[in-house]
């Protein structure tokens, strides 16, 4: 427990991408105990791929809690994986109190995928800790241009585009060098490209970069390159801009909403257009002042503003009327001819198991945690720039 944030580590083994195996009802006893023990008022779940999130929201609604869901990703509508996830999301969001998306593009995508009424979805962007991501003390020389890439090296993040773009930029500009941070299945392709084009001295592969070291990598470069094929927001762009880097990014998802036009150069997810965008970025680089860019980022994004806007959503959720099981089941029926009936059955079983748990372990038998408040000298406080301090 640090700074009023308590973390429970549930004894469930992750099996894929830090996700636990879906159990539907296996988490109900421990979730019920935590919610009662901590005197919870509202449950907030994140990420559509998190099985624990879906199960926690389902159990919380069964127990009568208000719930909020935040979606951080964009999904398609045609491939098998997206169709499956969209149906799962439709089930979870059928009975949420309110929802949050990180961009307007993400909101449109979530509404289309889940059938959620648009008036229940709020747009609250991510932010950046500008106190942590500051520019280099001295402006870097432009004799050598360093382009930074920090990303998971997977297909969705456009690693295949980098394989084609990097050799062409190195051919066009003899004074350009690349630093690539990140790991993933596509790292082998990048290393093969480096060997094939004899770019060992111009393309540095760092491997996985801990978040604490991201700033030190960013401030060693002039341009930040993002090649994602799909992106709801991309917080890495904010971190790079806060460090004073000019950004070149693919024009996908919510990326065009992130920064003003004079702080980012956008390109289609095509190698030739990305090369054009990088050439343009190199030409306007002398006009970029990292310190000015950092000050602008302080005004554009801070977590204090995100917290205030999220609190408004919580108030809206807590103000929603309570509904009995029959009223809630009516929300699941429109989810599909067979799916709607299956979702209703899942919720009915969850409700019966919850009532059984109440008989087996009554609420009054679960010890509630005592109220705890930090001394004023240890109370966390948000500064105007969005950073957190202890006073």
């Amino acid at each position: 427990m640090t700074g009023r944030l308590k973390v429970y580590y549930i004894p469930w083994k992750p099996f894929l991408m830090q996700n636990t195996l879906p159990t539907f009802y296996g988490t109900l006893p421990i979730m019920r105990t935590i919610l009662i023990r901590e005197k919870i008022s509202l449950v907030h779940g994140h990420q559509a791929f998190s099985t624990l999130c879906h199960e926690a929201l389902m159990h919380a609604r069964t127990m009568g809690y208000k719930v909020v869901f935040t979606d951080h990703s964009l999904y398609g509508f045609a491939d098998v994986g997206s169709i499956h996830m969209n149906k799962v999301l439709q089930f979870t969001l059928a009975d949420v109190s309110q929802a949050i998306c990180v961009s307007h593009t993400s909101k449109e995508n979530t509404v289309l995928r889940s059938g959620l009424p648009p008036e229940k979805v709020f747009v609250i962007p991510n932010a950046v800790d500008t106190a942590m991501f500051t520019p280099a003390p001295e402006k870097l020389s432009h004799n050598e241009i360093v382009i930074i890439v920090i990303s998971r090296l997977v297909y969705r993040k456009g690693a295949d585009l980098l394989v084609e773009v990097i050799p062409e930029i190195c051919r066009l500009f003899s004074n350009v060098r690349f630093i690539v941070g990140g790991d993933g299945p596509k790292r082998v392709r990048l290393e093969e490209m480096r060997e094939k084009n004899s770019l060992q001295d111009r393309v540095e592969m760092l491997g996985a970069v801990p978040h604490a070291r991201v700033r030190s990598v960013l401030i060693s470069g002039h341009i930040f390159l993002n090649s994602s094929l799909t992106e709801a927001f991309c917080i890495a762009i904010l971190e790079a801009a806060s460090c004073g880097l000019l950004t070149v990014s693919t024009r996908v998802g919510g990326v065009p909403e992130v920064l003003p036009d004079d702080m980012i150069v956008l390109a289609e997810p095509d190698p030739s257009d990305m090369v054009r965008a990088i050439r343009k970025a190199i030409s306007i680089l002398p006009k970029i002042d990292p310190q000015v860019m950092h000050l602008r980022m302080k005004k554009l994004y801070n977590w204090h503003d995100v917290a205030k806007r999220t609190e408004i959503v919580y108030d809206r959720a807590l103000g929603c009327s309570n509904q009995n099981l029959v009223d809630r089941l009516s929300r699941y029926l429109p989810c599909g001819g067979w799916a709607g009936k299956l979702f209703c059955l899942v919720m009915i079983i969850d409700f019966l198991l919850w009532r059984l748990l109440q008989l087996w372990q009554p609420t009054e038998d679960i010890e509630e945690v005592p109220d705890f408040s930090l001394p004023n000298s240890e109370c966390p406080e948000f500064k105007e720039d969005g950073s957190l301090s202890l006073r």
Side-chain angles (χ1 to χ4, degrees), residues 33-76:
T33 301
I34 292 172
L35 295 179
I36 295 173
R37 173 178 163 77
E38 295 292 340
K39 296 176 281 190
I40 298 299
S41 304
L42 180 144
V43 178
H44 188 170
H46 291 258
Q47 196 52 267
F49 267 124
S50 170
T51 54
L52 185 61
C53 165
H54 289 290
E55 292 180 17
L57 296 185
M58 177 179 76
H59 302 325
R61 286 302 295 136
T62 295
M63 296 171 64
Y65 292 96
K66 305 298 191 301
V67 300
V68 174
F69 174 78
T70 295
D71 200 356
H72 296 268
S73 305
L74 298 177
Y75 294 93

mmCIF file of all heavy atoms in Angstrom, residues 33-76:
data_model
loop_
_atom_site.group_PDB
_atom_site.id
_atom_site.type_symbol
_atom_site.label_atom_id
_atom_site.label_comp_id
_atom_site.label_asym_id
_atom_site.label_seq_id
_atom_site.Cartn_x
_atom_site.Cartn_y
_atom_site.Cartn_z
ATOM 1 N N THR A 33 -15.385 -10.931 -1.484
ATOM 2 C CA THR A 33 -14.709 -10.640 -0.213
ATOM 3 C C THR A 33 -13.992 -9.296 -0.258
ATOM 4 O O THR A 33 -14.086 -8.491 0.674
ATOM 5 C CB THR A 33 -13.703 -11.759 0.115
ATOM 6 O OG1 THR A 33 -14.403 -13.013 0.204
ATOM 7 C CG2 THR A 33 -12.994 -11.478 1.430
ATOM 8 N N ILE A 34 -13.276 -9.038 -1.359
ATOM 9 C CA ILE A 34 -12.537 -7.775 -1.478
ATOM 10 C C ILE A 34 -13.487 -6.590 -1.498
ATOM 11 O O ILE A 34 -13.268 -5.581 -0.804
ATOM 12 C CB ILE A 34 -11.651 -7.787 -2.747
ATOM 13 C CG1 ILE A 34 -10.522 -8.816 -2.605
ATOM 14 C CG2 ILE A 34 -11.059 -6.401 -3.005
ATOM 15 C CD1 ILE A 34 -9.723 -9.035 -3.877
ATOM 16 N N LEU A 35 -14.554 -6.678 -2.278
ATOM 17 C CA LEU A 35 -15.487 -5.555 -2.399
ATOM 18 C C LEU A 35 -16.160 -5.228 -1.073
ATOM 19 O O LEU A 35 -16.349 -4.051 -0.734
ATOM 20 C CB LEU A 35 -16.538 -5.868 -3.473
ATOM 21 C CG LEU A 35 -16.022 -6.016 -4.911
ATOM 22 C CD1 LEU A 35 -17.157 -6.358 -5.857
ATOM 23 C CD2 LEU A 35 -15.324 -4.748 -5.370
ATOM 24 N N ILE A 36 -16.519 -6.270 -0.326
ATOM 25 C CA ILE A 36 -17.160 -6.041 0.976
ATOM 26 C C ILE A 36 -16.132 -5.570 2.000
ATOM 27 O O ILE A 36 -16.369 -4.619 2.750
ATOM 28 C CB ILE A 36 -17.857 -7.336 1.465
ATOM 29 C CG1 ILE A 36 -19.011 -7.697 0.523
ATOM 30 C CG2 ILE A 36 -18.357 -7.158 2.894
ATOM 31 C CD1 ILE A 36 -19.653 -9.047 0.816
ATOM 32 N N ARG A 37 -14.985 -6.216 2.018
ATOM 33 C CA ARG A 37 -13.940 -5.887 2.990
ATOM 34 C C ARG A 37 -13.480 -4.441 2.846
ATOM 35 O O ARG A 37 -13.260 -3.742 3.837
ATOM 36 C CB ARG A 37 -12.763 -6.851 2.792
ATOM 37 C CG ARG A 37 -11.530 -6.537 3.622
ATOM 38 C CD ARG A 37 -10.440 -7.571 3.406
ATOM 39 N NE ARG A 37 -9.148 -7.092 3.871
ATOM 40 C CZ ARG A 37 -8.763 -7.028 5.130
ATOM 41 N NH1 ARG A 37 -9.599 -7.409 6.072
ATOM 42 N NH2 ARG A 37 -7.571 -6.582 5.465
ATOM 43 N N GLU A 38 -13.362 -3.967 1.620
ATOM 44 C CA GLU A 38 -12.853 -2.615 1.374
ATOM 45 C C GLU A 38 -13.958 -1.560 1.293
ATOM 46 O O GLU A 38 -13.690 -0.398 1.008
ATOM 47 C CB GLU A 38 -12.038 -2.598 0.077
ATOM 48 C CG GLU A 38 -10.774 -3.434 0.115
ATOM 49 C CD GLU A 38 -9.719 -2.864 1.048
ATOM 50 O OE1 GLU A 38 -9.793 -1.651 1.367
ATOM 51 O OE2 GLU A 38 -8.830 -3.621 1.479
ATOM 52 N N LYS A 39 -15.209 -1.963 1.508
ATOM 53 C CA LYS A 39 -16.356 -1.032 1.475
ATOM 54 C C LYS A 39 -16.377 -0.234 0.160
ATOM 55 O O LYS A 39 -16.472 0.992 0.136
ATOM 56 C CB LYS A 39 -16.317 -0.085 2.676
ATOM 57 C CG LYS A 39 -16.474 -0.798 4.017
ATOM 58 C CD LYS A 39 -16.332 0.137 5.195
ATOM 59 C CE LYS A 39 -14.872 0.434 5.485
ATOM 60 N NZ LYS A 39 -14.678 1.157 6.777
ATOM 61 N N ILE A 40 -16.273 -0.974 -0.940
ATOM 62 C CA ILE A 40 -16.190 -0.367 -2.270
ATOM 63 C C ILE A 40 -17.532 0.235 -2.673
ATOM 64 O O ILE A 40 -18.589 -0.314 -2.391
ATOM 65 C CB ILE A 40 -15.741 -1.426 -3.301
ATOM 66 C CG1 ILE A 40 -14.349 -1.954 -2.950
ATOM 67 C CG2 ILE A 40 -15.769 -0.876 -4.717
ATOM 68 C CD1 ILE A 40 -13.255 -0.913 -2.950
ATOM 69 N N SER A 41 -17.467 1.368 -3.365
ATOM 70 C CA SER A 41 -18.677 2.030 -3.878
ATOM 71 C C SER A 41 -18.831 1.829 -5.376
ATOM 72 O O SER A 41 -19.951 1.786 -5.890
ATOM 73 C CB SER A 41 -18.620 3.540 -3.593
ATOM 74 O OG SER A 41 -18.449 3.793 -2.227
ATOM 75 N N LEU A 42 -17.698 1.723 -6.079
ATOM 76 C CA LEU A 42 -17.732 1.659 -7.537
ATOM 77 C C LEU A 42 -16.555 0.833 -8.028
ATOM 78 O O LEU A 42 -15.462 0.889 -7.460
ATOM 79 C CB LEU A 42 -17.669 3.084 -8.108
ATOM 80 C CG LEU A 42 -17.691 3.279 -9.617
ATOM 81 C CD1 LEU A 42 -18.474 4.542 -9.970
ATOM 82 C CD2 LEU A 42 -16.272 3.398 -10.179
ATOM 83 N N VAL A 43 -16.767 0.053 -9.084
ATOM 84 C CA VAL A 43 -15.716 -0.786 -9.668
ATOM 85 C C VAL A 43 -15.388 -0.265 -11.065
ATOM 86 O O VAL A 43 -16.284 -0.072 -11.886
ATOM 87 C CB VAL A 43 -16.151 -2.265 -9.738
ATOM 88 C CG1 VAL A 43 -15.072 -3.114 -10.400
ATOM 89 C CG2 VAL A 43 -16.457 -2.787 -8.347
ATOM 90 N N HIS A 44 -14.096 -0.035 -11.313
ATOM 91 C CA HIS A 44 -13.634 0.520 -12.596
ATOM 92 C C HIS A 44 -12.713 -0.500 -13.256
ATOM 93 O O HIS A 44 -11.647 -0.809 -12.728
ATOM 94 C CB HIS A 44 -12.903 1.852 -12.349
ATOM 95 C CG HIS A 44 -12.560 2.585 -13.599
ATOM 96 N ND1 HIS A 44 -12.083 3.878 -13.604
ATOM 97 C CD2 HIS A 44 -12.630 2.230 -14.905
ATOM 98 C CE1 HIS A 44 -11.873 4.282 -14.836
ATOM 99 N NE2 HIS A 44 -12.185 3.284 -15.650
ATOM 100 N N GLY A 45 -13.118 -1.014 -14.408
ATOM 101 C CA GLY A 45 -12.322 -2.005 -15.134
ATOM 102 C C GLY A 45 -11.663 -1.399 -16.362
ATOM 103 O O GLY A 45 -12.196 -0.479 -16.977
ATOM 104 N N HIS A 46 -10.474 -1.924 -16.699
ATOM 105 C CA HIS A 46 -9.721 -1.440 -17.855
ATOM 106 C C HIS A 46 -9.382 -2.599 -18.787
ATOM 107 O O HIS A 46 -9.126 -3.714 -18.336
ATOM 108 C CB HIS A 46 -8.402 -0.789 -17.407
ATOM 109 C CG HIS A 46 -8.580 0.506 -16.682
ATOM 110 N ND1 HIS A 46 -8.370 1.739 -17.267
ATOM 111 C CD2 HIS A 46 -8.953 0.764 -15.412
ATOM 112 C CE1 HIS A 46 -8.591 2.693 -16.383
ATOM 113 N NE2 HIS A 46 -8.959 2.119 -15.246
ATOM 114 N N GLN A 47 -9.348 -2.303 -20.079
ATOM 115 C CA GLN A 47 -8.811 -3.161 -21.124
ATOM 116 C C GLN A 47 -9.737 -4.318 -21.492
ATOM 117 O O GLN A 47 -10.070 -5.168 -20.665
ATOM 118 C CB GLN A 47 -7.440 -3.712 -20.709
ATOM 119 C CG GLN A 47 -6.634 -4.296 -21.856
ATOM 120 C CD GLN A 47 -6.503 -3.343 -23.034
ATOM 121 O OE1 GLN A 47 -7.290 -3.391 -23.959
ATOM 122 N NE2 GLN A 47 -5.512 -2.456 -23.013
ATOM 123 N N ALA A 48 -10.129 -4.338 -22.774
ATOM 124 C CA ALA A 48 -11.070 -5.342 -23.268
ATOM 125 C C ALA A 48 -10.493 -6.746 -23.275
ATOM 126 O O ALA A 48 -11.245 -7.727 -23.271
ATOM 127 C CB ALA A 48 -11.523 -4.960 -24.688
ATOM 128 N N PHE A 49 -9.158 -6.901 -23.288
ATOM 129 C CA PHE A 49 -8.546 -8.224 -23.321
ATOM 130 C C PHE A 49 -8.352 -8.823 -21.930
ATOM 131 O O PHE A 49 -7.896 -9.961 -21.814
ATOM 132 C CB PHE A 49 -7.189 -8.161 -24.022
ATOM 133 C CG PHE A 49 -7.264 -8.463 -25.491
ATOM 134 C CD1 PHE A 49 -6.790 -7.562 -26.422
ATOM 135 C CD2 PHE A 49 -7.827 -9.648 -25.938
ATOM 136 C CE1 PHE A 49 -6.857 -7.834 -27.779
ATOM 137 C CE2 PHE A 49 -7.899 -9.937 -27.293
ATOM 138 C CZ PHE A 49 -7.412 -9.028 -28.217
ATOM 139 N N SER A 50 -8.679 -8.086 -20.871
ATOM 140 C CA SER A 50 -8.450 -8.573 -19.518
ATOM 141 C C SER A 50 -9.623 -9.431 -19.056
ATOM 142 O O SER A 50 -10.733 -8.928 -18.856
ATOM 143 C CB SER A 50 -8.249 -7.393 -18.558
ATOM 144 O OG SER A 50 -8.255 -7.832 -17.222
ATOM 145 N N THR A 51 -9.373 -10.719 -18.871
ATOM 146 C CA THR A 51 -10.438 -11.602 -18.392
ATOM 147 C C THR A 51 -10.835 -11.233 -16.954
ATOM 148 O O THR A 51 -12.014 -11.315 -16.595
ATOM 149 C CB THR A 51 -9.981 -13.066 -18.433
ATOM 150 O OG1 THR A 51 -8.747 -13.201 -17.706
ATOM 151 C CG2 THR A 51 -9.754 -13.519 -19.860
ATOM 152 N N LEU A 52 -9.858 -10.828 -16.139
ATOM 153 C CA LEU A 52 -10.161 -10.441 -14.763
ATOM 154 C C LEU A 52 -11.072 -9.218 -14.741
ATOM 155 O O LEU A 52 -11.975 -9.108 -13.910
ATOM 156 C CB LEU A 52 -8.864 -10.147 -14.008
ATOM 157 C CG LEU A 52 -8.997 -9.848 -12.511
ATOM 158 C CD1 LEU A 52 -9.608 -11.034 -11.781
ATOM 159 C CD2 LEU A 52 -7.645 -9.497 -11.910
ATOM 160 N N CYS A 53 -10.847 -8.289 -15.684
ATOM 161 C CA CYS A 53 -11.702 -7.097 -15.777
ATOM 162 C C CYS A 53 -13.140 -7.487 -16.082
ATOM 163 O O CYS A 53 -14.073 -7.032 -15.408
ATOM 164 C CB CYS A 53 -11.152 -6.155 -16.860
ATOM 165 S SG CYS A 53 -12.311 -4.872 -17.398
ATOM 166 N N HIS A 54 -13.347 -8.335 -17.079
ATOM 167 C CA HIS A 54 -14.703 -8.734 -17.472
ATOM 168 C C HIS A 54 -15.420 -9.453 -16.323
ATOM 169 O O HIS A 54 -16.596 -9.179 -16.049
ATOM 170 C CB HIS A 54 -14.649 -9.646 -18.703
ATOM 171 C CG HIS A 54 -14.263 -8.941 -19.968
ATOM 172 N ND1 HIS A 54 -15.089 -8.031 -20.595
ATOM 173 C CD2 HIS A 54 -13.136 -8.993 -20.716
ATOM 174 C CE1 HIS A 54 -14.489 -7.572 -21.686
ATOM 175 N NE2 HIS A 54 -13.299 -8.133 -21.776
ATOM 176 N N GLU A 55 -14.700 -10.347 -15.663
ATOM 177 C CA GLU A 55 -15.324 -11.094 -14.572
ATOM 178 C C GLU A 55 -15.618 -10.196 -13.373
ATOM 179 O O GLU A 55 -16.675 -10.325 -12.740
ATOM 180 C CB GLU A 55 -14.421 -12.259 -14.160
ATOM 181 C CG GLU A 55 -14.315 -13.333 -15.231
ATOM 182 C CD GLU A 55 -13.418 -14.493 -14.816
ATOM 183 O OE1 GLU A 55 -13.142 -14.628 -13.610
ATOM 184 O OE2 GLU A 55 -13.005 -15.270 -15.700
ATOM 185 N N ALA A 56 -14.721 -9.270 -13.074
ATOM 186 C CA ALA A 56 -14.937 -8.367 -11.937
ATOM 187 C C ALA A 56 -16.154 -7.477 -12.171
ATOM 188 O O ALA A 56 -16.966 -7.258 -11.254
ATOM 189 C CB ALA A 56 -13.695 -7.508 -11.707
ATOM 190 N N LEU A 57 -16.300 -6.956 -13.392
ATOM 191 C CA LEU A 57 -17.458 -6.106 -13.691
ATOM 192 C C LEU A 57 -18.751 -6.907 -13.638
ATOM 193 O O LEU A 57 -19.780 -6.416 -13.159
ATOM 194 C CB LEU A 57 -17.291 -5.453 -15.071
ATOM 195 C CG LEU A 57 -16.121 -4.476 -15.238
ATOM 196 C CD1 LEU A 57 -16.160 -3.813 -16.608
ATOM 197 C CD2 LEU A 57 -16.140 -3.407 -14.153
ATOM 198 N N MET A 58 -18.721 -8.143 -14.123
ATOM 199 C CA MET A 58 -19.910 -8.993 -14.088
ATOM 200 C C MET A 58 -20.336 -9.267 -12.643
ATOM 201 O O MET A 58 -21.518 -9.116 -12.288
ATOM 202 C CB MET A 58 -19.619 -10.310 -14.809
ATOM 203 C CG MET A 58 -20.771 -11.303 -14.779
ATOM 204 S SD MET A 58 -20.413 -12.838 -15.667
ATOM 205 C CE MET A 58 -19.335 -13.665 -14.477
ATOM 206 N N HIS A 59 -19.380 -9.649 -11.787
ATOM 207 C CA HIS A 59 -19.707 -9.940 -10.391
ATOM 208 C C HIS A 59 -20.152 -8.667 -9.655
ATOM 209 O O HIS A 59 -21.066 -8.719 -8.825
ATOM 210 C CB HIS A 59 -18.496 -10.545 -9.678
ATOM 211 C CG HIS A 59 -17.990 -11.804 -10.308
ATOM 212 N ND1 HIS A 59 -18.818 -12.726 -10.883
ATOM 213 C CD2 HIS A 59 -16.714 -12.281 -10.455
ATOM 214 C CE1 HIS A 59 -18.093 -13.741 -11.361
ATOM 215 N NE2 HIS A 59 -16.820 -13.479 -11.116
ATOM 216 N N ALA A 60 -19.513 -7.546 -9.964
ATOM 217 C CA ALA A 60 -19.876 -6.297 -9.290
ATOM 218 C C ALA A 60 -21.312 -5.904 -9.603
ATOM 219 O O ALA A 60 -22.052 -5.470 -8.715
ATOM 220 C CB ALA A 60 -18.913 -5.187 -9.710
ATOM 221 N N ARG A 61 -21.728 -6.062 -10.857
ATOM 222 C CA ARG A 61 -23.115 -5.726 -11.213
ATOM 223 C C ARG A 61 -24.101 -6.688 -10.532
ATOM 224 O O ARG A 61 -25.172 -6.286 -10.101
ATOM 225 C CB ARG A 61 -23.297 -5.777 -12.732
ATOM 226 C CG ARG A 61 -22.680 -4.614 -13.457
ATOM 227 C CD ARG A 61 -23.223 -3.269 -12.989
ATOM 228 N NE ARG A 61 -24.647 -3.117 -13.302
ATOM 229 C CZ ARG A 61 -25.543 -2.630 -12.463
ATOM 230 N NH1 ARG A 61 -25.197 -2.256 -11.230
ATOM 231 N NH2 ARG A 61 -26.808 -2.500 -12.830
ATOM 232 N N THR A 62 -23.716 -7.956 -10.450
ATOM 233 C CA THR A 62 -24.575 -8.935 -9.770
ATOM 234 C C THR A 62 -24.784 -8.530 -8.311
ATOM 235 O O THR A 62 -25.885 -8.671 -7.766
ATOM 236 C CB THR A 62 -23.941 -10.340 -9.840
ATOM 237 O OG1 THR A 62 -23.904 -10.766 -11.207
ATOM 238 C CG2 THR A 62 -24.730 -11.340 -9.013
ATOM 239 N N MET A 63 -23.734 -7.978 -7.694
ATOM 240 C CA MET A 63 -23.806 -7.585 -6.291
ATOM 241 C C MET A 63 -24.410 -6.199 -6.105
ATOM 242 O O MET A 63 -24.539 -5.723 -4.967
ATOM 243 C CB MET A 63 -22.409 -7.631 -5.674
ATOM 244 C CG MET A 63 -21.807 -9.033 -5.650
ATOM 245 S SD MET A 63 -20.059 -9.037 -5.173
ATOM 246 C CE MET A 63 -20.160 -8.431 -3.501
ATOM 247 N N GLY A 64 -24.748 -5.518 -7.188
ATOM 248 C CA GLY A 64 -25.425 -4.223 -7.087
ATOM 249 C C GLY A 64 -24.509 -3.015 -7.116
ATOM 250 O O GLY A 64 -24.957 -1.891 -6.879
ATOM 251 N N TYR A 65 -23.210 -3.220 -7.412
ATOM 252 C CA TYR A 65 -22.279 -2.089 -7.478
ATOM 253 C C TYR A 65 -22.397 -1.377 -8.824
ATOM 254 O O TYR A 65 -22.750 -1.981 -9.839
ATOM 255 C CB TYR A 65 -20.835 -2.560 -7.290
ATOM 256 C CG TYR A 65 -20.525 -3.072 -5.904
ATOM 257 C CD1 TYR A 65 -20.571 -4.433 -5.615
ATOM 258 C CD2 TYR A 65 -20.195 -2.194 -4.884
ATOM 259 C CE1 TYR A 65 -20.288 -4.909 -4.346
ATOM 260 C CE2 TYR A 65 -19.905 -2.666 -3.603
ATOM 261 C CZ TYR A 65 -19.953 -4.019 -3.350
ATOM 262 O OH TYR A 65 -19.681 -4.482 -2.087
ATOM 263 N N LYS A 66 -22.081 -0.094 -8.821
ATOM 264 C CA LYS A 66 -21.979 0.662 -10.073
ATOM 265 C C LYS A 66 -20.604 0.372 -10.688
ATOM 266 O O LYS A 66 -19.615 0.236 -9.967
ATOM 267 C CB LYS A 66 -22.124 2.163 -9.817
ATOM 268 C CG LYS A 66 -23.403 2.547 -9.073
ATOM 269 C CD LYS A 66 -24.636 2.177 -9.879
ATOM 270 C CE LYS A 66 -25.927 2.769 -9.305
ATOM 271 N NZ LYS A 66 -26.198 2.359 -7.929
ATOM 272 N N VAL A 67 -20.556 0.279 -12.014
ATOM 273 C CA VAL A 67 -19.298 -0.071 -12.674
ATOM 274 C C VAL A 67 -19.008 0.886 -13.824
ATOM 275 O O VAL A 67 -19.921 1.406 -14.475
ATOM 276 C CB VAL A 67 -19.312 -1.529 -13.200
ATOM 277 C CG1 VAL A 67 -19.523 -2.511 -12.070
ATOM 278 C CG2 VAL A 67 -20.365 -1.707 -14.278
ATOM 279 N N VAL A 68 -17.724 1.120 -14.048
ATOM 280 C CA VAL A 68 -17.234 1.940 -15.159
ATOM 281 C C VAL A 68 -16.186 1.131 -15.910
ATOM 282 O O VAL A 68 -15.384 0.423 -15.297
ATOM 283 C CB VAL A 68 -16.624 3.269 -14.647
ATOM 284 C CG1 VAL A 68 -15.993 4.054 -15.804
ATOM 285 C CG2 VAL A 68 -17.684 4.118 -13.952
ATOM 286 N N PHE A 69 -16.214 1.223 -17.231
ATOM 287 C CA PHE A 69 -15.242 0.496 -18.046
ATOM 288 C C PHE A 69 -14.476 1.480 -18.930
ATOM 289 O O PHE A 69 -15.066 2.399 -19.515
ATOM 290 C CB PHE A 69 -15.954 -0.527 -18.937
ATOM 291 C CG PHE A 69 -15.041 -1.225 -19.916
ATOM 292 C CD1 PHE A 69 -14.212 -2.254 -19.497
ATOM 293 C CD2 PHE A 69 -15.001 -0.843 -21.247
ATOM 294 C CE1 PHE A 69 -13.368 -2.901 -20.389
ATOM 295 C CE2 PHE A 69 -14.163 -1.479 -22.147
ATOM 296 C CZ PHE A 69 -13.343 -2.512 -21.718
ATOM 297 N N THR A 70 -13.151 1.312 -18.995
ATOM 298 C CA THR A 70 -12.318 2.131 -19.879
ATOM 299 C C THR A 70 -11.727 1.247 -20.967
ATOM 300 O O THR A 70 -11.082 0.239 -20.676
ATOM 301 C CB THR A 70 -11.178 2.827 -19.111
ATOM 302 O OG1 THR A 70 -11.735 3.767 -18.188
ATOM 303 C CG2 THR A 70 -10.268 3.583 -20.073
ATOM 304 N N ASP A 71 -11.956 1.648 -22.218
ATOM 305 C CA ASP A 71 -11.422 0.916 -23.365
ATOM 306 C C ASP A 71 -10.201 1.658 -23.900
ATOM 307 O O ASP A 71 -10.273 2.859 -24.179
ATOM 308 C CB ASP A 71 -12.488 0.793 -24.458
ATOM 309 C CG ASP A 71 -12.179 -0.326 -25.432
ATOM 310 O OD1 ASP A 71 -11.111 -0.940 -25.303
ATOM 311 O OD2 ASP A 71 -13.015 -0.581 -26.325
ATOM 312 N N HIS A 72 -9.088 0.950 -24.053
ATOM 313 C CA HIS A 72 -7.832 1.569 -24.488
ATOM 314 C C HIS A 72 -7.428 1.156 -25.898
ATOM 315 O O HIS A 72 -6.361 1.541 -26.360
ATOM 316 C CB HIS A 72 -6.694 1.182 -23.532
ATOM 317 C CG HIS A 72 -6.876 1.687 -22.137
ATOM 318 N ND1 HIS A 72 -6.366 2.886 -21.703
ATOM 319 C CD2 HIS A 72 -7.506 1.148 -21.071
ATOM 320 C CE1 HIS A 72 -6.671 3.060 -20.435
ATOM 321 N NE2 HIS A 72 -7.366 2.017 -20.011
ATOM 322 N N SER A 73 -8.241 0.359 -26.577
ATOM 323 C CA SER A 73 -7.804 -0.223 -27.840
ATOM 324 C C SER A 73 -8.853 -0.061 -28.932
ATOM 325 O O SER A 73 -10.022 0.231 -28.667
ATOM 326 C CB SER A 73 -7.486 -1.713 -27.663
ATOM 327 O OG SER A 73 -6.536 -1.906 -26.642
ATOM 328 N N LEU A 74 -8.396 -0.268 -30.171
ATOM 329 C CA LEU A 74 -9.277 -0.294 -31.338
ATOM 330 C C LEU A 74 -9.301 -1.713 -31.883
ATOM 331 O O LEU A 74 -8.274 -2.383 -31.930
ATOM 332 C CB LEU A 74 -8.775 0.660 -32.433
ATOM 333 C CG LEU A 74 -8.710 2.149 -32.093
ATOM 334 C CD1 LEU A 74 -8.119 2.916 -33.271
ATOM 335 C CD2 LEU A 74 -10.085 2.692 -31.757
ATOM 336 N N TYR A 75 -10.479 -2.159 -32.318
ATOM 337 C CA TYR A 75 -10.608 -3.489 -32.896
ATOM 338 C C TYR A 75 -11.380 -3.404 -34.199
ATOM 339 O O TYR A 75 -12.200 -2.500 -34.404
ATOM 340 C CB TYR A 75 -11.338 -4.439 -31.934
ATOM 341 C CG TYR A 75 -10.567 -4.716 -30.673
ATOM 342 C CD1 TYR A 75 -10.777 -3.949 -29.529
ATOM 343 C CD2 TYR A 75 -9.622 -5.729 -30.625
ATOM 344 C CE1 TYR A 75 -10.057 -4.194 -28.373
ATOM 345 C CE2 TYR A 75 -8.906 -5.989 -29.460
ATOM 346 C CZ TYR A 75 -9.131 -5.208 -28.343
ATOM 347 O OH TYR A 75 -8.419 -5.444 -27.198
ATOM 348 N N GLY A 76 -11.140 -4.392 -35.062
ATOM 349 C CA GLY A 76 -11.839 -4.447 -36.338
ATOM 350 C C GLY A 76 -13.187 -5.136 -36.193
ATOM 351 O O GLY A 76 -13.678 -5.375 -35.083
#
